[in-house]
């Protein structure tokens, strides 16, 4: 006899939301969440960093029901219970996706497929009634499910199968319904196609938020300005944006740090973004092998240390930098030449301006580079950035500013980039207002 998946899900658990929340996360009190993923269990260090949880693979249909009518909820249960116990948002990822779907679904008739996907969504909704966010359809532009025709195929709208999936979700789950896709932040054409689907759903009252993946292969090639432009287009719908699956995959500590410094503030500070989820942080258990931020011994890579600095959260005494980052050579850019000053004794230091993103009302300085040009190590450095007008810095990374406003802003190194061996460089940047700043000059000593 065919098992009742709904009854099977309801028997083992009675979840209770805790009255209080114990938090020590990076983004505590920020008004938006900074989350991460779980595997089959939630890491013991999770609460020291993150205040939202998404199961990486445990919530995919192929993981839960790899054998027809035999449900494995263990990984999902662990993440869901952790979220309830700690009072943080839980996002279920994902209900409908062409990748990691059950292998047996392709051998069924369309009517059977529709019945099975309906049962799957009903079962998940019944088991996790306090789920905050649901990735209903993942990657519709790139990886539609094999059973799309059972959901209506392209139909009259071109995306009937997506509409049907959201209708099933609206009928059977509680929480906010999201769509999720990659390639959006770096591709205006794809953003336009994505918006067509979103608007079809929005006109029917079926969607509550927009997910945009932020993997290395999309984020690194894109400028901060392009990312901001595509986020602006999505935000114009009036729907909240959830940045999902953020990672920077690099074995070079400085290269990873630089990308976090350049790109993370664009996501986090965008007014349309209400949450950011990183796609792994522990060494050895990230989807991309060099995207980790915390080593097996608990030490933190410079990018993680920078995230602490960015959010104003001090490091625990047990956290220290991971192995020395690779030296980054000073390179020329499409900006003014560097200025340098020497203090004798084999010590010489330069500051080279980087690129500038400027949108009129504000600006971001990217990749300003301090380089030890001498023959002796440098232990600490200061810089002065010159502007042609009064500006106010709203954020800085890789640099501690002495003053926030003026025509000249001065600052010094942070804890992780003050020591420079001969030939080594440190990178910093800042965001400020107003725009129209050209390429500000930089001197170092």
């Amino acid at each position: 006899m065919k098992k009742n998946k709904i009854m099977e899900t309801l028997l083992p658990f009675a979840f209770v939301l805790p009255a209080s929340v114990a938090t020590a996360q990076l983004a505590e009190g920020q008004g938006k969440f900074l989350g991460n993923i779980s595997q089959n269990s939630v890491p013991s260090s999770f609460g020291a960093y993150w205040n939202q949880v998404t199961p990486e693979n445990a919530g995919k249909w192929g993981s839960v029901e790899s054998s027809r009518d035999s449900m494995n909820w263990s990984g999902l249960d662990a993440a869901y219970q952790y979220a309830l116990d700690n009072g943080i948002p839980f996002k279920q990822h994902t209900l409908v996706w062409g990748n990691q779907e059950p292998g047996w679904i392709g051998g069924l008739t369309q009517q059977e497929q529709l019945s099975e996907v309906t049962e799957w969504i009903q079962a998940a909704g019944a088991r996790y009634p306090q789920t905050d966010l649901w990735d209903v359809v993942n990657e519709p532009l790139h990886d539609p499910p094999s059973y799309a025709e059972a959901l209506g195929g392209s139909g009259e709208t071109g995306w009937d199968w997506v509409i049907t999936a959201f209708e099933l979700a609206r009928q059977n789950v509680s929480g906010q319904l999201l769509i999720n896709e990659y390639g959006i932040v770096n591709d205006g054409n794809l953003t336009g196609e994505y918006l067509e689907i979103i608007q079809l759903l929005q006109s029917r009252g079926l969607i509550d938020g927009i997910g945009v993946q932020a993997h290395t292969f999309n984020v690194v090639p894109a400028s901060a300005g392009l990312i901001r432009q595509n986020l602006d287009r999505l935000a114009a719908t009036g729907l909240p944006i959830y940045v999902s699956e953020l990672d920077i995959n690099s074995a070079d500590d400085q290269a990873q740090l630089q990308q976090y410094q350049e790109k993370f503030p664009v996501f986090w500070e965008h007014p349309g973004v209400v949450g950011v989820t990183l796609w792994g942080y522990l060494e050895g258990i990230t989807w991309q092998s060099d995207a980790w931020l915390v080593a097996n011994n608990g030490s933190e890579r410079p990018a993680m240390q920078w995230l602490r600095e960015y959010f104003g959260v001090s490091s625990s005494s047990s956290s220290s930098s991971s192995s020395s980052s690779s030296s980054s050579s000073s390179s020329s850019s499409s900006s003014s030449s560097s200025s340098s000053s020497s203090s004798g004794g084999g010590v010489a230091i330069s500051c080279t301006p980087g690129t500038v993103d400027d949108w009129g009302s504000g600006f971001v300085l990217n990749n300003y580079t301090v380089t030890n040009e001498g023959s002796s190590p440098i232990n600490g450095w200061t810089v002065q950035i010159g502007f042609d007008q009064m500006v106010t810095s709203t954020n800085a990374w890789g640099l501690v500013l002495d003053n926030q406003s003026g025509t000249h802003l001065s600052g010094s190194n942070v804890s992780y980039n003050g020591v420079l061996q001969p030939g080594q460089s440190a990178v910093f940047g800042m965001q400020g207002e107003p725009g129209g700043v050209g390429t500000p000059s930089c001197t170092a000593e």
Side-chain angles (χ1 to χ4, degrees):
M1 184 176 74
K2 185 177 178 67
K3 297 180 182 178
N4 187 319
K5 296 176 192 175
I6 306 300
M7 290 302 297
E8 185 180 83
T9 65
L10 292 175
L11 295 177
F13 287 94
F15 295 109
V16 179
L17 187 67
S20 61
V21 180
T23 59
Q25 302 95 354
L26 297 178
E28 182 179 3
Q30 293 286 323
K32 56 180 73 176
F33 65 71
L34 180 64
N36 217 302
I37 56 172
S38 65
Q39 285 73 37
N40 289 326
S41 61
V42 180
S44 59
S45 62
F46 195 94
Y49 299 103
W50 320 112
N51 60 354
Q52 180 270 331
V53 62
T54 300
E56 180 183 21
N57 289 303
K60 295 165 183 173
W61 190 12
S63 298
V64 175
E65 196 177 3
S66 59
S67 297
R68 190 178 183 185
D69 296 328
S70 178
M71 314 299 279
N72 177 11
W73 301 103
S74 58
L76 263 177
D77 286 346
Y80 182 72
Q81 189 65 61
Y82 179 89
L84 293 184
D85 289 345
N86 290 276
I88 64 174
F90 172 74
K91 182 169 82 167
Q92 157 56 352
H93 174 79
T94 178
L95 293 177
V96 174
W97 185 32
N99 204 330
Q100 292 181 256
E101 65 183 26
W104 48 264
I105 193 72
L108 304 183
T109 66
Q110 287 187 12
Q111 185 57 47
E112 290 172 326
Q113 289 174 338
L114 178 61
S115 176
E116 288 293 337
V117 72
T118 302
E119 285 185 19
W120 152 239
I121 294 172
Q122 289 173 337
R127 191 175 185 89
Y128 306 112
Q130 296 185 56
T131 296
D132 300 278
L133 305 163
W134 297 82
D135 279 342
V136 178
V137 175
N138 192 46
E139 301 175 2
L141 295 170
H142 290 98
D143 208 345
S146 64
Y147 50 89
E149 289 300 319
L151 295 173
S154 298
E156 293 182 359
T157 66
W159 296 100
D160 279 17
W161 70 267
V162 176
I163 293 170
T164 301
F166 272 82
E167 288 173 340
L168 289 172
R170 186 66 90 199
Q171 294 162 9
N172 293 291
V173 308
S174 299
Q176 302 296 297
L177 306 186
L178 313 182
I179 194 168
N180 195 43
E181 185 58 272
Y182 71 86
I184 303 304
V185 298
N186 63 308
D187 189 330
N189 291 330
L190 210 59
T191 298
E193 294 179 37
Y194 198 34
L195 282 167
E196 291 179 13
I197 303 174
I198 291 165
Q199 288 159 359
L200 286 170
L201 296 169
Q202 193 174 18
S203 68
R204 292 163 171 78
L206 294 173
I207 188 170
D208 303 308
I210 302 169
V212 288
Q213 296 179 27
H215 286 299
T216 303
F217 48 82
N218 296 141
V219 172
V220 170
S223 69
L226 178 60
I227 294 172
R228 188 179 297 107
Q229 177 181 326
N230 286 322
L231 291 176
D232 287 345
R233 293 176 65 189
L234 297 174
T237 64
L239 294 170
I241 299 170
Y242 296 86
V243 178
S244 62
E245 306 186 35
L246 171 62
D247 55 30
I248 301 297
N249 186 48
S250 178
D252 185 320
D253 283 353
Q254 285 300 124
Q256 185 190 55
L257 171 63
Q258 177 183 325
Q259 285 297 317
Y260 268 98
Q261 290 172 331
E262 285 185 31
K263 308 299 172 55
F264 184 84
V266 179
F267 290 119
W268 184 259
E269 296 174 18
H270 193 282
V273 172
V274 297
V276 176
T277 302
L278 275 64
W279 212 242
Y281 72 104
L282 293 176
E283 183 180 13
I285 50 174
T286 54
W287 178 56
Q288 298 192 43
S289 60
D290 292 316
W292 57 276
L293 296 169
V294 179
N296 291 327
N297 64 4
S299 64
E300 297 173 350
R301 294 181 75 179
M304 177 60 86
Q305 295 180 38
W306 174 80
L307 281 172
R308 284 187 177 278
E309 174 194 335
Y310 181 83
F311 287 107
V313 178
S314 62
S315 177
S316 63
S317 58
S318 62
S319 296
S320 60
S321 176
S322 60
S323 58
S324 299
S325 59
S326 302
S327 299
S328 59
S329 59
S330 175
S331 59
S332 60
S333 63
S334 58
S335 57
S336 59
S337 60
S338 64
S339 302
S340 64
S341 59
S342 175
S343 58
V347 175
I349 187 170
S350 67
C351 182
T352 304
T355 60
V356 180
D357 290 318
D358 196 312
W359 55 98
S361 61
F363 66 89
V364 173
L365 307 186
N366 301 302
N367 299 332
Y368 272 56
T369 304
V370 176
T371 302
N372 182 354
E373 307 280 8
S375 58
S376 301
I378 293 173
N379 188 5
W381 47 265
T382 61
V383 295
Q384 188 170 93
I385 304 102
F387 296 84
D388 293 332
Q389 63 186 37
M390 286 285 295
V391 299
T392 298
S393 173
T394 57
N395 186 36
W397 46 95
L399 179 71
V400 178
L401 286 173
D402 299 323
N403 59 312
Q404 303 295 320
S405 299
T407 57
H408 288 80
L409 303 185
S410 60
S412 57
N413 60 274
V414 293
S415 60
Y416 57 79
N417 66 1
V419 177
L420 299 178
Q421 299 299 323
Q424 279 193 320
S425 300
V427 176
F428 69 88
M430 72 171 62
Q431 183 170 352
E433 56 190 16
V437 297
T439 302
S441 64
C442 177
T443 59
E445 59 182 38

